[in-house]
mmCIF file of all heavy atoms in Angstrom:
data_model
loop_
_atom_site.group_PDB
_atom_site.id
_atom_site.type_symbol
_atom_site.label_atom_id
_atom_site.label_comp_id
_atom_site.label_asym_id
_atom_site.label_seq_id
_atom_site.Cartn_x
_atom_site.Cartn_y
_atom_site.Cartn_z
ATOM 1 N N THR A 381 -70.548 -68.443 27.863
ATOM 2 C CA THR A 381 -70.177 -68.051 29.343
ATOM 3 C C THR A 381 -69.413 -66.840 29.305
ATOM 4 O O THR A 381 -68.256 -66.771 28.743
ATOM 5 C CB THR A 381 -69.480 -69.183 30.034
ATOM 6 O OG1 THR A 381 -70.204 -70.364 29.943
ATOM 7 C CG2 THR A 381 -69.241 -68.758 31.506
ATOM 8 N N LEU A 382 -69.839 -65.772 29.946
ATOM 9 C CA LEU A 382 -69.153 -64.513 30.005
ATOM 10 C C LEU A 382 -68.292 -64.393 31.329
ATOM 11 O O LEU A 382 -68.919 -64.369 32.386
ATOM 12 C CB LEU A 382 -70.145 -63.322 29.947
ATOM 13 C CG LEU A 382 -70.988 -63.252 28.643
ATOM 14 C CD1 LEU A 382 -71.995 -62.123 28.771
ATOM 15 C CD2 LEU A 382 -70.146 -63.050 27.365
ATOM 16 N N HIS A 383 -67.018 -64.393 31.211
ATOM 17 C CA HIS A 383 -66.188 -64.331 32.316
ATOM 18 C C HIS A 383 -65.819 -62.903 32.768
ATOM 19 O O HIS A 383 -65.419 -62.644 34.002
ATOM 20 C CB HIS A 383 -64.892 -65.073 32.070
ATOM 21 C CG HIS A 383 -65.070 -66.534 31.981
ATOM 22 N ND1 HIS A 383 -64.780 -67.373 33.069
ATOM 23 C CD2 HIS A 383 -65.633 -67.279 31.028
ATOM 24 C CE1 HIS A 383 -65.070 -68.598 32.686
ATOM 25 N NE2 HIS A 383 -65.552 -68.574 31.400
ATOM 26 N N THR A 384 -65.994 -61.883 31.976
ATOM 27 C CA THR A 384 -65.754 -60.446 32.283
ATOM 28 C C THR A 384 -66.921 -59.689 31.601
ATOM 29 O O THR A 384 -67.124 -59.806 30.377
ATOM 30 C CB THR A 384 -64.370 -59.883 31.773
ATOM 31 O OG1 THR A 384 -63.400 -60.571 32.542
ATOM 32 C CG2 THR A 384 -64.277 -58.519 32.033
ATOM 33 N N ILE A 385 -67.601 -58.816 32.383
ATOM 34 C CA ILE A 385 -68.576 -57.928 31.776
ATOM 35 C C ILE A 385 -68.234 -56.534 32.299
ATOM 36 O O ILE A 385 -68.246 -56.279 33.596
ATOM 37 C CB ILE A 385 -69.964 -58.289 32.263
ATOM 38 C CG1 ILE A 385 -70.293 -59.810 31.813
ATOM 39 C CG2 ILE A 385 -71.041 -57.359 31.625
ATOM 40 C CD1 ILE A 385 -71.515 -60.377 32.349
ATOM 41 N N LEU A 386 -67.973 -55.582 31.435
ATOM 42 C CA LEU A 386 -67.437 -54.303 31.810
ATOM 43 C C LEU A 386 -68.630 -53.337 32.154
ATOM 44 O O LEU A 386 -69.680 -53.268 31.433
ATOM 45 C CB LEU A 386 -66.589 -53.675 30.671
ATOM 46 C CG LEU A 386 -65.259 -54.583 30.327
ATOM 47 C CD1 LEU A 386 -64.658 -53.967 29.167
ATOM 48 C CD2 LEU A 386 -64.340 -54.611 31.525
ATOM 49 N N GLU A 387 -68.470 -52.486 33.143
ATOM 50 C CA GLU A 387 -69.462 -51.564 33.587
ATOM 51 C C GLU A 387 -69.364 -50.286 32.622
ATOM 52 O O GLU A 387 -70.433 -49.777 32.345
ATOM 53 C CB GLU A 387 -69.227 -51.042 34.964
ATOM 54 C CG GLU A 387 -70.374 -50.106 35.510
ATOM 55 C CD GLU A 387 -70.185 -49.727 36.887
ATOM 56 O OE1 GLU A 387 -68.996 -49.791 37.379
ATOM 57 O OE2 GLU A 387 -71.253 -49.293 37.561
ATOM 58 N N HIS A 388 -68.211 -49.911 32.135
ATOM 59 C CA HIS A 388 -68.041 -48.759 31.298
ATOM 60 C C HIS A 388 -67.314 -49.268 30.003
ATOM 61 O O HIS A 388 -66.102 -48.953 29.821
ATOM 62 C CB HIS A 388 -67.226 -47.736 32.048
ATOM 63 C CG HIS A 388 -67.877 -47.272 33.288
ATOM 64 N ND1 HIS A 388 -69.023 -46.495 33.290
ATOM 65 C CD2 HIS A 388 -67.554 -47.367 34.652
ATOM 66 C CE1 HIS A 388 -69.384 -46.175 34.565
ATOM 67 N NE2 HIS A 388 -68.470 -46.730 35.328
ATOM 68 N N PRO A 389 -67.978 -49.976 29.190
ATOM 69 C CA PRO A 389 -67.399 -50.496 27.937
ATOM 70 C C PRO A 389 -67.182 -49.375 26.912
ATOM 71 O O PRO A 389 -67.941 -48.405 26.828
ATOM 72 C CB PRO A 389 -68.318 -51.510 27.424
ATOM 73 C CG PRO A 389 -69.725 -51.002 27.925
ATOM 74 C CD PRO A 389 -69.423 -50.326 29.219
ATOM 75 N N SER A 390 -66.133 -49.502 25.995
ATOM 76 C CA SER A 390 -66.037 -48.654 24.829
ATOM 77 C C SER A 390 -67.068 -49.035 23.888
ATOM 78 O O SER A 390 -67.788 -50.074 24.062
ATOM 79 C CB SER A 390 -64.578 -48.802 24.301
ATOM 80 O OG SER A 390 -64.471 -50.131 23.753
ATOM 81 N N ASP A 391 -67.191 -48.305 22.814
ATOM 82 C CA ASP A 391 -68.116 -48.685 21.742
ATOM 83 C C ASP A 391 -67.858 -50.072 21.285
ATOM 84 O O ASP A 391 -68.758 -50.891 21.088
ATOM 85 C CB ASP A 391 -67.941 -47.732 20.622
ATOM 86 C CG ASP A 391 -69.105 -46.589 20.517
ATOM 87 O OD1 ASP A 391 -69.789 -46.568 21.629
ATOM 88 O OD2 ASP A 391 -69.202 -45.922 19.561
ATOM 89 N N GLU A 392 -66.590 -50.356 21.082
ATOM 90 C CA GLU A 392 -66.151 -51.626 20.562
ATOM 91 C C GLU A 392 -66.484 -52.845 21.535
ATOM 92 O O GLU A 392 -67.024 -53.816 21.100
ATOM 93 C CB GLU A 392 -64.587 -51.614 20.186
ATOM 94 C CG GLU A 392 -64.107 -52.856 19.615
ATOM 95 C CD GLU A 392 -62.585 -52.873 19.474
ATOM 96 O OE1 GLU A 392 -61.971 -52.434 20.448
ATOM 97 O OE2 GLU A 392 -62.071 -53.217 18.411
ATOM 98 N N GLU A 393 -66.204 -52.588 22.788
ATOM 99 C CA GLU A 393 -66.468 -53.631 23.808
ATOM 100 C C GLU A 393 -68.022 -53.803 23.880
ATOM 101 O O GLU A 393 -68.446 -55.047 24.044
ATOM 102 C CB GLU A 393 -65.835 -53.245 25.045
ATOM 103 C CG GLU A 393 -64.314 -53.254 25.019
ATOM 104 C CD GLU A 393 -63.695 -52.386 26.128
ATOM 105 O OE1 GLU A 393 -64.368 -51.552 26.797
ATOM 106 O OE2 GLU A 393 -62.457 -52.627 26.402
ATOM 107 N N ARG A 394 -68.801 -52.802 23.968
ATOM 108 C CA ARG A 394 -70.195 -52.949 24.018
ATOM 109 C C ARG A 394 -70.698 -53.662 22.819
ATOM 110 O O ARG A 394 -71.537 -54.629 22.913
ATOM 111 C CB ARG A 394 -70.957 -51.544 24.064
ATOM 112 C CG ARG A 394 -72.485 -51.696 24.126
ATOM 113 C CD ARG A 394 -73.101 -50.352 24.102
ATOM 114 N NE ARG A 394 -72.911 -49.731 25.391
ATOM 115 C CZ ARG A 394 -72.164 -48.604 25.633
ATOM 116 N NH1 ARG A 394 -71.381 -48.215 24.699
ATOM 117 N NH2 ARG A 394 -72.130 -48.128 26.840
ATOM 118 N N TYR A 395 -70.218 -53.390 21.660
ATOM 119 C CA TYR A 395 -70.642 -53.984 20.385
ATOM 120 C C TYR A 395 -70.330 -55.595 20.392
ATOM 121 O O TYR A 395 -71.117 -56.375 20.062
ATOM 122 C CB TYR A 395 -69.967 -53.324 19.161
ATOM 123 C CG TYR A 395 -70.212 -54.018 17.905
ATOM 124 C CD1 TYR A 395 -71.501 -53.923 17.223
ATOM 125 C CD2 TYR A 395 -69.350 -54.899 17.215
ATOM 126 C CE1 TYR A 395 -71.765 -54.447 16.017
ATOM 127 C CE2 TYR A 395 -69.668 -55.519 16.114
ATOM 128 C CZ TYR A 395 -70.859 -55.315 15.427
ATOM 129 O OH TYR A 395 -71.150 -55.992 14.290
ATOM 130 N N ILE A 396 -69.081 -55.883 20.923
ATOM 131 C CA ILE A 396 -68.810 -57.337 20.946
ATOM 132 C C ILE A 396 -69.826 -58.050 21.818
ATOM 133 O O ILE A 396 -70.209 -59.148 21.481
ATOM 134 C CB ILE A 396 -67.299 -57.455 21.383
ATOM 135 C CG1 ILE A 396 -66.344 -56.935 20.208
ATOM 136 C CG2 ILE A 396 -66.982 -58.880 21.771
ATOM 137 C CD1 ILE A 396 -64.831 -56.864 20.710
ATOM 138 N N ILE A 397 -69.993 -57.489 23.029
ATOM 139 C CA ILE A 397 -70.912 -58.263 23.952
ATOM 140 C C ILE A 397 -72.300 -58.381 23.370
ATOM 141 O O ILE A 397 -72.948 -59.415 23.345
ATOM 142 C CB ILE A 397 -70.924 -57.570 25.276
ATOM 143 C CG1 ILE A 397 -69.616 -57.692 26.046
ATOM 144 C CG2 ILE A 397 -72.050 -58.293 26.170
ATOM 145 C CD1 ILE A 397 -69.120 -59.127 26.266
ATOM 146 N N MET A 398 -72.761 -57.352 22.597
ATOM 147 C CA MET A 398 -74.062 -57.311 22.042
ATOM 148 C C MET A 398 -74.178 -58.346 20.980
ATOM 149 O O MET A 398 -75.171 -58.991 20.707
ATOM 150 C CB MET A 398 -74.552 -55.933 21.727
ATOM 151 C CG MET A 398 -74.704 -54.930 22.828
ATOM 152 S SD MET A 398 -75.084 -53.355 22.433
ATOM 153 C CE MET A 398 -76.760 -53.490 21.791
#
Side-chain angles (χ1 to χ4, degrees):
T381 304
L382 300 176
H383 290 260
T384 296
I385 304 171
L386 300 174
E387 183 180 24
H388 301 290
S390 66
D391 260 11
E392 183 185 46
E393 290 160 344
R394 179 184 285 107
Y395 175 77
I396 289 172
I397 294 297
M398 293 176 71

